Amino acid sequence: MKYTEEHEWLDVDDEGIVTVGITAYAAEQLGDVVFVELPEVGKTVSKDDEIVVIESVKAASDILAPLDGEIVDVNEPLADEPGKVNDDPEGEAWFFRIKPDDLSAMDDYMDEAAYKKFIG
Amino acid sequence: MGDALQRTALYDLHIDLGARMVPFAGYEMPVQYPDGVLKEHLHTRAQAGLFDVSHMGQVVLRGDGVAAALESLVPVDIAGLAEGRQRYALFTNDDGGIEDDLMVANRGDHLFVVVNAACKEPDVARMRAALEPLGITVKLLESRALLALQGPAAEAVLAEHHPGVRDMRFMDVETLPLAGAECWVSRSGYTGEDGFEISVPQAAAVALARALLADGRVAPIGLGARDSLRLEAGLCLYGHDIDAATTPVSAGLGWAIQKVRRSGGDRAGGFPGAAKILGEFSDPPAMRRVGLRPEGRAPMREGTALFDAETGGTAAGRVTSGGFGPSLGAPVAMGYVPAALAEPGTRLWGEVRGKRLAVSVASLPFVPAGFKR
């Protein structure tokens, strides 16, 4: 598992597909999530594109694409049950799966120990 | 900023309760407690919520002819306000705009006024300038906290501390001992629920708050849920839904101007902007405040532009406050639209992140009020 400074977690599988969600820390900071707008499957994205919108009771925030690549799957049920982001942010409430152009770009991100230090 | 934030008498209690504190109108205030905004909101609608609203301004006006004197600043019937009763009022300006909204209570030998925190200083200055030359004293109380207990269980909870509250109707005010202190209690609030606002001496505020929170039906509620509760109740937030550029009739607050102050009434006019404001009852303003129900799940926040077509056209209006309505499980908003588009059911489009999303004009309030009249 890798982590970004934007509080995303990235989980790469055997086929090199990366599942992306937000950390429990981020979900806690956001407060109750009431709306999630997901990207389209098949969309080609560049690193730092704003591809997911999360609205909490307080405000809207974005999730940025952590890597260049193609969106190969999105967690459709989240759109109907946005509260899952608060209930299980590091499990059921993943947002999308991305097939990166270059998997080695993952090396730029923090491991769990570094992320824990990052959030203090 | 620069200026140090002030703290209310309940600051340490908020910290003990695990509140997340934020700067608000010059104060450090609890925006939410560990339960979070959604649960706090729903708890208030189901049982009772306790709010610290001590940041608001509490002002005592005293002197001969105080009611008539205050009528020079508000388009509201103050002279006819019976002892032991409270009324919603507005400070207006010469252009007919709203300078603040407030509560005025007739407490027998004086008027008790509660104003918004952010408007406290200009409001006191306005009252001093207009009322002191008439022999009225204007005293901003620095030594009283203000609590709001809101929700269907509020009466039963407070009655355990003083049974007299059961006899109070909506907008009644009384002096009652609570937690051993002289409290000024009104049956009012700003959540759409039945409930009470309690002005309590600062020294007794924590004891009273703890006594109320000891009741299993009461939870502490932050500013986040206070905002979603008042939005669902269709109540205006000063600086957002109403301000110096909106007029009472445009804001749908014409009901707050009693007949006696309107054209033809015994004490018609005589307040700032009277000609403009009274003229709007016969010649309605171009824009109206309306309720808005977005058809999708995306909230439409303050500032969202509203259009009368899915593509093209120019902005017809805008959202002045909006978010998620926990009781409805859906987004809700309020805003201003041209009078021709103000009919409930009218379909409009709000532009959210560059996309036009459908939204319907809706009747207010979104959630029926639970007041005990």
Side-chain angles (χ1 to χ4, degrees), chain A residues 28-35 37 53 55-60 62 79-82, chain B residues 20 31-32 35-39 296-301 323-324 326 352-353 355 357:
Chain A
E28 160 78 25
Q29 294 298 310
L30 279 175
D32 301 306
V33 172
V34 296
F35 173 72
E37 188 176 292
V53 177
E55 297 251 13
S56 74
V57 289
K58 285 177 283 187
D62 298 304
D80 292 323
E81 290 183 81
Chain B
R20 185 182 294 179
V31 65
Q32 64 174 78
D35 274 353
V37 176
L38 283 185
K39 288 202 182 89
R297 297 185 68 103
M300 290 187 187
R301 309 269 182 192
F324 185 76
V352 179
R353 292 180 287 272
K355 274 180 256 173
L357 306 178

Side-chain angles (χ1 to χ4, degrees), chain B residues 182-208:
Chain B
E182 183 198 276
C183 292
W184 305 344
V185 181
S186 69
R187 192 154 200 165
S188 64
Y190 217 60
T191 60
E193 293 299 321
D194 180 32
F196 301 87
E197 289 200 348
I198 307 164
S199 171
V200 52
Q202 268 175 11
V206 171
L208 177 59

Side-chain angles (χ1 to χ4, degrees), chain B residues 286-302:
Chain B
M287 302 294 280
R288 305 283 179 78
R289 179 173 63 96
V290 295
L292 298 161
R293 290 287 303 260
E295 292 178 15
R297 297 185 68 103
M300 290 187 187
R301 309 269 182 192
E302 179 175 3

Side-chain angles (χ1 to χ4, degrees), chain B residues 33-360:
Chain B
Y33 298 87
D35 274 353
V37 176
L38 283 185
K39 288 202 182 89
E40 290 173 27
H41 179 115
L42 296 171
H43 183 92
T44 305
R45 291 259 186 261
Q47 299 192 61
L50 182 68
F51 303 73
D52 179 12
V53 287
S54 304
H55 57 309
M56 297 180 79
Q58 304 183 58
V59 184
V60 165
L61 308 179
R62 202 181 285 270
D64 289 340
V66 62
L70 186 59
E71 285 193 356
S72 70
L73 292 175
V74 300
V76 175
D77 176 11
I78 304 295
L81 182 62
E83 183 172 341
R85 294 289 291 165
Q86 177 175 271
R87 181 165 276 167
Y88 180 76
L90 303 161
F91 286 126
T92 54
N93 61 34
D94 290 340
D95 299 323
I98 300 169
E99 291 288 319
D100 196 9
D101 61 347
L102 61 148
M103 284 292 184
V104 181
N106 179 350
R107 290 182 29 85
D109 64 348
H110 66 272
L111 296 179
F112 177 53
V113 171
V114 177
V115 301
N116 280 303
C119 303
K120 206 177 333 190
E121 283 180 25
D123 285 345
V124 168
R126 168 182 301 108
M127 288 189 279
R128 289 212 164 110
L131 307 182
E132 284 180 350
L134 303 173
I136 308 297
T137 60
V138 177
K139 189 175 180 199
L140 176 65
L141 304 181
E142 306 281 8
S143 60
R144 296 187 80 89
L146 193 64
L147 304 182
L149 183 68
Q150 302 279 292
E155 179 191 88
V157 169
L158 202 56
E160 296 197 359
H161 298 271
H162 197 294
V165 300
R166 289 193 188 279
D167 301 325
M168 296 175 73
R169 292 168 301 146
F170 184 56
M171 292 295 206
D172 277 352
V173 295
E174 274 199 54
T175 302
L176 298 172
L178 296 171
E182 183 198 276
C183 292
W184 305 344
V185 181
S186 69
R187 192 154 200 165
S188 64
Y190 217 60
T191 60
E193 293 299 321
D194 180 32
F196 301 87
E197 289 200 348
I198 307 164
S199 171
V200 52
Q202 268 175 11
V206 171
L208 177 59
R210 285 201 185 275
L212 295 171
L213 289 168
D215 191 303
R217 293 165 288 190
V218 180
I221 310 296
L223 291 177
R226 186 170 173 85
D227 191 52
S228 54
L229 287 159
R230 70 92 203 156
L231 174 60
E232 281 186 345
L235 299 168
C236 291
L237 182 61
Y238 191 77
H240 301 262
D241 307 298
I242 48 176
D243 59 29
T246 52
T247 60
V249 176
S250 178
L253 300 174
W255 57 266
I257 304 175
Q258 288 76 24
K259 273 195 179 139
V260 71
R261 303 301 308 277
R262 296 192 197 182
S263 304
D266 283 350
R267 297 193 312 283
F271 53 86
K276 167 88 177 275
I277 290 168
L278 297 183
E280 287 189 341
F281 284 104
S282 46
D283 182 15
M287 302 294 280
R288 305 283 179 78
R289 179 173 63 96
V290 295
L292 298 161
R293 290 287 303 260
E295 292 178 15
R297 297 185 68 103
M300 290 187 187
R301 309 269 182 192
E302 179 175 3
T304 301
L306 297 167
F307 293 81
D308 59 0
E310 191 166 7
T311 54
T314 51
R318 75 185 172 88
V319 171
T320 50
S321 53
F324 185 76
S327 306
L328 300 157
V332 288
M334 297 196 291
Y336 283 80
V337 299
L341 301 176
E343 200 59 37
T346 305
R347 196 166 208 226
L348 302 170
W349 283 264
E351 197 162 273
V352 179
R353 292 180 287 272
K355 274 180 256 173
R356 299 254 177 114
L357 306 178
V359 53
S360 296

